[in-house]
Amino acid sequence: MGGNLLEISNLSKNFGGLPALSEVSFGVETGQVTALIGPNGAGKTTLINCLTGVIRPDGGAIRFKGADIAGLPAHRVARLGISRTFQNLRIFPRLTVLDNVLCGLTVQAGASLLEALFLPPGLRHRERRLKLTALEALDAFGLADKAGWPVGVLAYGDKKRVEMARAFVSQPVLTLLDEPVAGLNAEETATVATFIRQMRLAGKTMILVEHDMEMVMGISDHVVVLDGGSRIAQGTPDAVRHNPLVIEAYLGRMSATA
Amino acid sequence: MIGWEKAKFFVIRHHTGLMVCGLALFLALTPLVMDNPYNLGILNLIGLYVIVVLGLNLFIGFAGQISLGHAAFFGLGAYGSAILTATYGFPAWPAMILTAGAMALVALALGIPTLRLSGHYLAMATLGFNYVVDSIFVQWDAVTGGPSGLSGVPPLSIGGLTFDSDLKFHYLVWTFALVALTLCLNLVRTGVGRGLAALGADEVAAAALGVDVQRQKNGVFVLSAVMASVAGSLYAHYFGYVNPDAFSVFKSLDLVIMVVVGGLGSVWGTLFGASFITVLPHFLGFLETYMDIIHGVILVVILIFLPQGFVSGLVDIIRIRWARRRLAMDRQS
């Protein structure tokens, strides 16, 4: 497991004395889709937030390309090439679709305030190239004809796609998708699943946090199951599906209520 | 036909630059039609406020912060230049640069602790700053001249040209204002500007995209303080005197109202906001005693109906209408 892109070991986080994550460990291999599943309150979002620097873990290590990134602030994590989408959709409603996606290229735009004020020809040129990159991403996500629209007017499914385009436009090393199909209908869910498969074929490494079991099983290489803040199982989708612990903690409970 | 296409392409590609050039031409020719020094005086005042409000709009409108203390930076710039030149006989231009540099440091010292706060706290901190500065202007007689202020500030000059009339100052102040406008337009069209808009809308999302939220907030705060300081220096040299009234907390509120009338995050709207609020008392001279009430009402009405500010609020409405119509058309076809 030494060659993993991301290696999480013994990650812990308490909220007011209550453990949200306790000693969670798993690895993410380059080019694979790793799914993170578990019932509500299992600690999935806490894990993602620790990973992206939104909150600071209390213990454990997060090794990304061999370097410990636990506790780094969010913008530093982003600069290492880790991008994400959010569970509750965090796009910028007043900006255009194109500008939203361009925001995904903040690191690549990387000018100082002073440089931006004077907009030297080099920067002007770079901005033009970034715009082309963003337009290509919009095209890949089927949004090219809406580039100039304020993103607030789009349908929910389209907004989700804008957020995904924003997460992938920078050619990130690792992308975290936090419930990418939450709130989408079956047709839209299928579209998103297709996008994720395309990204997988293009060699992207992804962590997928999801409730939708069917989708997870269909597109993941590796599944990690959390329950009550601990990792209770991991393995291939098939192995996890037949793991009695998982069935009891998750699938069992679901079939009991369904 | 090809020539026409080329011209169209040129206009689309350089429309921002062309608009700035058009505005420059308009302002250069204005004195030919409007030679009344009283009106020119108002236009000069607008120019000064445009410089301040452009910076403030980057801070409020783009970065989504609030400052109720920008009149203090404006005042410190004016007093800095006035004290250095009138009291100590310093040359004017180095005094302006020195003052602006000092203001950058003051803004940094104020910004690093307070910009971690947000919303009400930031408003209170900047308001308090303005009160402190205002009190110093009024109380520190020996240096600031107390309530009556300082006079004898010499006009600015370049080479043999002295900007000692309304007409000459018109060209000076609007050169500064147009440079400030160009710099702001540059900024907002780059990744830095998008980063500011992003953090103004959602700090968590902005940080996840690689925006160093604290650093950018501090940077734009310093930038806006420096712009206010430069405008203050110009103010001191234009009027030849400074007194505390022009830099009170109420002036800070007027500056915020200019931002709101111009529209949050609208660089071009700033021109309208600064002009409208500056010109208004001259049209409503008979209501002079009620001016604060009128400003208050304007602010409240705009914030209720167009929370993004007047100009950008209207632009938003038009853009959204247009997009919705396109969306409906797409669905029909």
Side-chain angles (χ1 to χ4, degrees), chain B:
Chain B
M1 206 51 199
I2 286 167
W4 194 81
E5 283 291 316
K6 252 190 182 160
K8 200 170 104 179
F9 185 70
F10 182 83
V11 169
I12 290 171
R13 183 156 183 181
H14 295 285
H15 68 278
T16 309
L18 288 170
M19 277 163 77
V20 175
C21 291
L23 180 66
L25 191 67
F26 171 77
L27 286 163
L29 298 177
T30 313
L32 296 179
V33 208
M34 196 173 71
D35 47 6
N36 173 344
Y38 178 76
N39 289 341
L40 267 181
I42 297 173
L43 195 56
N44 289 346
L45 206 53
I46 293 175
L48 289 171
Y49 286 134
V50 162
I51 300 169
V52 184
V53 180
L54 278 170
L56 190 58
N57 200 351
L58 288 180
F59 185 65
I60 297 180
F62 272 86
Q65 309 302 305
I66 180 74
S67 169
L68 298 179
H70 258 61
F73 292 119
F74 187 44
L76 285 168
Y79 269 91
S81 275
I83 292 167
L84 284 173
T85 58
T87 312
Y88 295 102
F90 235 71
W93 294 109
M96 181 187 281
I97 294 168
L98 211 61
T99 309
M103 254 353 86
L105 294 178
V106 170
L108 209 56
L110 183 68
I112 288 174
T114 55
L115 290 177
R116 296 182 178 283
L117 314 171
S118 60
H120 304 315
Y121 299 104
L122 188 56
M124 294 310 290
T126 48
L127 189 70
F129 170 67
N130 205 148
Y131 261 112
V132 170
V133 168
D134 198 30
S135 303
I136 292 172
F137 290 161
V138 176
Q139 305 291 337
W140 201 13
D141 266 358
V143 175
T144 64
S148 52
L150 283 175
S151 56
V153 186
L156 286 161
S157 59
I158 299 174
L161 180 62
T162 303
F163 298 96
D164 53 0
S165 71
D166 290 311
L167 179 64
K168 287 178 190 162
F169 190 76
H170 168 81
Y171 288 103
L172 181 69
V173 69
W174 280 104
T175 303
F176 270 84
L178 286 173
V179 168
L181 179 72
T182 309
L183 295 181
C184 288
L185 286 168
N186 282 344
L187 179 72
V188 304
R189 283 183 297 164
T190 64
V192 177
R194 288 188 300 272
L196 290 178
L199 84 85
D202 186 336
E203 284 187 17
V204 174
L209 296 168
V211 179
D212 187 341
V213 171
Q214 286 309 324
R215 189 193 167 93
Q216 293 304 86
K217 277 192 204 171
N218 276 307
V220 76
F221 189 57
V222 167
L223 174 66
S224 68
V226 166
M227 287 171 77
S229 172
V230 169
S233 295
L234 291 171
Y235 175 100
H237 291 293
Y238 175 45
F239 288 103
Y241 66 88
V242 288
N243 75 44
D245 291 349
F247 314 114
S248 69
V249 169
F250 292 100
K251 198 44 100 182
S252 281
L253 290 178
D254 284 353
L255 293 173
V256 172
I257 295 171
M258 289 179 190
V259 169
V260 170
V261 171
L264 300 178
S266 167
V267 175
W268 289 102
T270 298
L271 294 173
F272 175 77
S275 310
F276 182 78
I277 295 298
T278 310
V279 166
L280 196 62
H282 298 278
F283 280 109
L284 301 175
F286 58 98
L287 290 172
E288 205 185 332
T289 39
Y290 303 110
M291 223 49 230
D292 285 338
I293 298 178
I294 294 171
H295 279 183
V297 170
I298 290 173
L299 185 63
V300 169
V301 168
I302 290 177
L303 289 182
I304 290 174
F305 293 104
L306 295 166
Q308 291 304 335
F310 185 67
V311 174
S312 40
L314 289 181
V315 172
D316 272 10
I317 288 178
I318 294 166
R319 277 172 64 212
I320 289 169
R321 283 263 163 86
W322 181 81
R324 290 237 162 90
R325 235 197 10 235
R326 276 275 313 270
L327 216 60
M329 268 159 54
D330 280 3
R331 255 184 233 123
Q332 273 171 13
S333 63

